[in-house]
Amino acid sequence: MFKSFTKMITKISNKLLNIEDQSYDSGLSNMMCYKPLNLYSKDITDFLKKLREKHLVNDIIITDLDGIVIASTNRNLKEGFKSAAMYNYINSEIKELSIILIEANGWQIIFKKDKKVYFLKANDRLTKMEVLVIIKDIENYLSCVV
Amino acid sequence: MFMGDVIAIVSGKGGVGKTTVTGNLGIALSELNCSVLLIDADIAMANLSLLIGLKTPPITLHDILLGSSSVTDAIYDGPKNIKIIPSGLSLSTYQRVDSERLITVVNELRSKFEYILIDSPAGIEKNVLAAMSASSQILLVTEPTAPSVADAFKAKIVAERLNQRVMGVIVNKVSNVKGEISDKEIMKMLELPCYGKIPYAEDIRQSFLLKKIKPVLIHNANGSSSESFRAIARKITGKDSITSKNKNKKKRGFFAFLARIFSRKSK
């Protein structure tokens, strides 16, 4: 009884005094529904899919230096082999290579870390900072799982 | 050797007061006897040096990022013992600088200052990513309006993508008018603690209209705006507690409501 009376008085007062209206657009509250991703997964492919979502890239492929696919989000073995071959070729021409960025059908980003070649496909060019974060995420995952 | 705290002041939306917060917060931290360095990482639209009152510095962050000057050559004295690395105003050098080198610059200075505040550009472009990546913590600044909070939220998502810690939010330009989003709502939406509210006050506006622009902590040292900055500085140093969702529980009931009306009317 007292609660409903309080509510009524509050509503009338708000109208009369023109205050306390702190409602905001529903579009804003919809946008705020985002929750940070929990990257952890026992399955590496599942982890890479989550990583792809986190960093807004289209595909992530990890191969060894011979082009054998270790893990991939798209199961395209040919693409993994191609990326390792491309890395090895450019590395033979340009010493101290860190990251290769190629613009062709979006962006293709290739880099090597600990005898593994990482191949990312994205709609936009990633900065070195973003690539380093992806490497760190993968390293953290591998150190937890292995 | 200690490792200083590097805080990037980020907002997403432009014009919310990042530079004002950076300058004044730096002075407030210095008043608490902390060694403070301000870095103007707004490489394209630099104006922290104008707020601090530096006259066309010969060597700037542009020169450091281009690799043509050493870091120590671009550190200048500001008011109340703060140090500042200004950004250049030249558009030609801006286009050639590599903002990613900011991370190396900050790492070089980390052991020399207790607090390094990075004034970040607006948006979520490469220069903002560099400011975020160079920092150890991120402090968001927002106005109590929907577009500003939405952009702060986007900045928070980007920071999380970079695995950076967002320490909290500062609500700037608070004028307690109808339609403003309350700090409690902002904390709830961003899921972050609030470090403080800065009023939309005349003395801050006036500090930009003077012939010689001055931070409000110099222009009106005893005003309520200056006190707000000091309160935030105390929270950052751990001398005061931070307002979190739980600690800021609104009192309910009819009499509490009446008390809120009268306290607001008297402002």
Side-chain angles (χ1 to χ4, degrees):
Chain A
M1 174 73 183
F2 185 70
K3 266 189 182 175
S4 54
F5 174 71
T6 310
K7 267 188 184 174
M8 191 183 74
I9 294 289
T10 308
K11 274 189 179 174
I12 294 168
S13 312
N14 284 347
K15 279 273 178 212
L16 290 174
L17 296 167
N18 197 25
I19 59 163
E20 286 283 312
D21 182 1
Q22 287 166 336
S23 57
Y24 48 89
D25 187 55
S26 60
L28 183 64
S29 48
N30 290 342
M31 200 193 95
M32 301 288 182
C33 289
Y34 164 88
K35 288 275 170 253
L37 275 170
N38 176 15
L39 286 179
Y40 184 77
S41 170
K42 280 184 179 170
D43 177 31
I44 190 164
T45 310
D46 191 34
F47 160 75
L48 288 181
K49 281 180 181 166
K50 286 179 178 179
L51 197 67
R52 179 176 70 177
E53 207 178 315
K54 180 187 174 189
H55 293 287
L56 310 173
V57 292
N58 300 334
D59 273 315
I60 303 172
I61 303 164
I62 306 174
T63 73
D64 67 8
L65 287 171
D66 297 323
I68 296 164
V69 175
I70 298 165
S72 156
T73 51
N74 70 0
R75 297 175 183 274
N76 192 338
L77 302 178
K78 197 175 145 192
E79 221 159 24
F81 185 75
K82 202 172 74 183
S83 65
M86 201 162 3
Y87 177 84
N88 287 328
Y89 170 68
I90 298 173
N91 191 39
S92 67
E93 294 292 323
I94 304 166
K95 297 293 167 200
E96 292 177 40
L97 182 68
S98 63
I99 299 167
I100 304 165
L101 295 169
I102 301 163
E103 191 181 10
N105 295 327
W107 282 88
Q108 307 189 15
I109 300 119
I110 310 166
F111 54 90
K112 192 192 103 177
K113 181 88 183 167
D114 298 334
K115 294 182 180 174
K116 290 186 192 76
V117 177
Y118 295 84
F119 180 52
L120 310 174
K121 287 174 90 176
N123 290 335
D124 203 0
R125 202 194 116 169
L126 296 183
T127 62
K128 194 177 172 185
M129 295 165 288
E130 289 167 301
V131 174
L132 290 175
V133 173
I134 294 174
I135 294 174
K136 207 171 182 185
D137 278 343
I138 295 172
E139 277 181 344
N140 284 346
Y141 173 79
L142 293 175
S143 66
C144 283
V145 170
V146 178
Chain B
M1 195 175 80
F2 67 95
M3 288 300 274
D5 205 355
V6 184
I7 302 170
I9 313 290
V10 176
S11 69
K13 189 177 175 296
V16 300
K18 287 180 295 297
T19 306
T20 311
V21 168
T22 309
N24 287 293
L25 199 54
I27 294 172
L29 285 166
S30 185
E31 284 179 352
L32 295 171
N33 295 321
C34 301
S35 56
V36 180
L37 172 72
L38 309 183
I39 300 178
D40 191 354
D42 195 349
I43 296 163
M45 299 289 174
N47 46 28
L48 183 63
S49 57
L50 295 176
L51 178 76
I52 296 299
L54 280 184
K55 280 181 187 167
T56 54
I59 299 169
T60 66
L61 185 66
H62 285 191
D63 302 295
I64 302 172
L65 298 178
L66 282 169
S68 58
S69 290
S70 75
V71 177
T72 45
D73 291 340
I75 301 177
Y76 298 87
D77 291 327
K80 303 241 176 155
N81 294 327
I82 59 166
K83 305 281 180 193
I84 173 173
I85 297 183
S87 227
L89 302 173
S90 157
L91 278 175
S92 59
T93 52
Y94 150 67
Q95 283 163 341
R96 289 188 287 126
V97 299
D98 177 12
S99 59
E100 289 186 30
R101 287 192 63 183
L102 185 67
I103 302 163
T104 322
V105 172
V106 170
N107 283 339
E108 210 175 304
L109 295 164
R110 233 176 183 150
S111 58
K112 296 183 175 104
F113 296 91
E114 282 171 273
Y115 289 97
I116 298 177
L117 303 186
I118 304 176
D119 182 20
S120 150
I124 45 173
E125 304 304 319
K126 187 185 168 188
N127 295 342
V128 184
L129 299 189
M132 284 180 174
S133 301
S135 66
S136 50
Q137 307 196 73
I138 290 160
L139 192 52
L140 293 176
V141 181
T142 181
E143 288 176 14
T145 58
S148 182
V149 176
D151 288 356
F153 188 70
K154 286 175 206 159
K156 187 190 164 211
I157 295 173
V158 171
E160 282 168 356
R161 267 181 58 206
L162 293 171
N163 296 340
Q164 292 297 90
R165 180 180 173 256
V166 184
M167 61 195 281
V169 60
I170 293 175
V171 187
N172 193 20
K173 300 187 184 178
V174 177
S175 48
N176 294 319
V177 293
K178 184 183 177 185
E180 248 182 25
I181 305 174
S182 72
D183 57 327
K184 284 157 218 149
E185 281 294 343
I186 291 171
M187 282 195 286
K188 210 168 93 183
M189 285 192 277
L190 297 176
E191 293 180 348
L192 289 172
C194 181
Y195 272 71
K197 294 192 285 184
I198 300 157
Y200 189 71
E202 188 58 22
D203 56 356
I204 297 183
R205 210 177 69 86
Q206 283 291 328
S207 68
F208 288 100
L209 298 175
L210 298 169
K211 262 189 182 172
K212 190 172 181 283
I213 302 169
K214 284 178 184 170
V216 74
L217 265 101
I218 309 283
H219 167 62
N220 186 13
N222 299 319
S224 63
S225 320
S226 300
E227 279 312 315
S228 311
F229 285 112
R230 287 191 187 103
I232 296 168
R234 283 196 297 274
K235 284 174 189 168
I236 288 173
T237 54
K239 286 174 181 156
D240 269 0
S241 60
I242 308 153
T243 316
S244 69
K245 270 186 276 185
N246 304 332
K247 285 176 188 169
N248 206 12
K249 228 173 189 178
K250 192 169 160 181
K251 279 186 184 172
R252 301 188 74 87
F254 180 63
F255 293 107
F257 168 72
L258 282 180
R260 276 205 306 280
I261 290 175
F262 290 114
S263 65
R264 185 161 283 196
K265 284 273 121 179
S266 63
K267 276 175 190 173

